[in-house]
Amino acid sequence: MKKYLSLLPALAALCLVMACEPAARGGVAFHLQNAGAEPMRQVVLHVRGRSYAVGDIAAGASASVTLHPRGESHIELAQPGRPRLVVDCYMESGYTGSIHASATTERIVTVDAKVLFAAY
C-alpha cells in the first residue's frame, strides 16, 4: 500500500501537466492560402516542437490547421526541394487566436496575425 501511496505525487504532477497541455486550450488557427499560379506540394508546417503535414494546396486554394507550439515560435512552411519560408509571427504554448497568410511556392505574400495568451 505504501508503495502505491508514493506514486500519488507523480500522478498528481502528470495530471497537472496534461491539464496545462495547449491542445486543451484551443491553440492558434492557421489559414494558408496559395496565392501563386502553381500548386504547393507536400506542404509541412513547423512550429517549436511540432510539425503538421498539410499536403498539396492547389493554386488559389487554402488549408487550415490548428497549431500548438511547445514554446516560443514562428511558423516555417516547408516543401520538398524548396527553401523553408518563414511566416513572420509570434506565438507560444498557451496562445490562442488566428493567423492568416498567403504564399506562393517562392515567398510569403501577406500575414495577418491576431494572437494572444489564452488567459486573456
Side-chain angles (χ1 to χ4, degrees), residues 2-82:
K2 287 184 179 184
K3 178 169 66 172
Y4 295 111
L5 287 176
S6 65
L7 295 176
L8 282 178
L11 182 59
L14 178 62
C15 289
L16 180 62
V17 167
M18 290 176 64
C20 293
E21 175 64 25
R25 291 194 292 272
V28 175
F30 179 65
H31 308 281
L32 175 63
Q33 179 182 12
N34 182 350
E38 62 181 285
M40 299 172 85
R41 303 274 185 210
Q42 300 176 19
V43 174
V44 177
L45 303 173
H46 299 278
V47 295
R48 171 88 28 109
R50 297 180 193 258
S51 296
Y52 302 86
V54 176
D56 296 347
I57 305 173
S62 49
S64 297
V65 177
T66 301
L67 304 174
H68 301 280
R70 292 187 174 168
E72 296 179 349
S73 188
H74 59 269
I75 302 167
E76 292 186 5
L77 189 154
Q79 302 169 82
R82 299 189 181 269

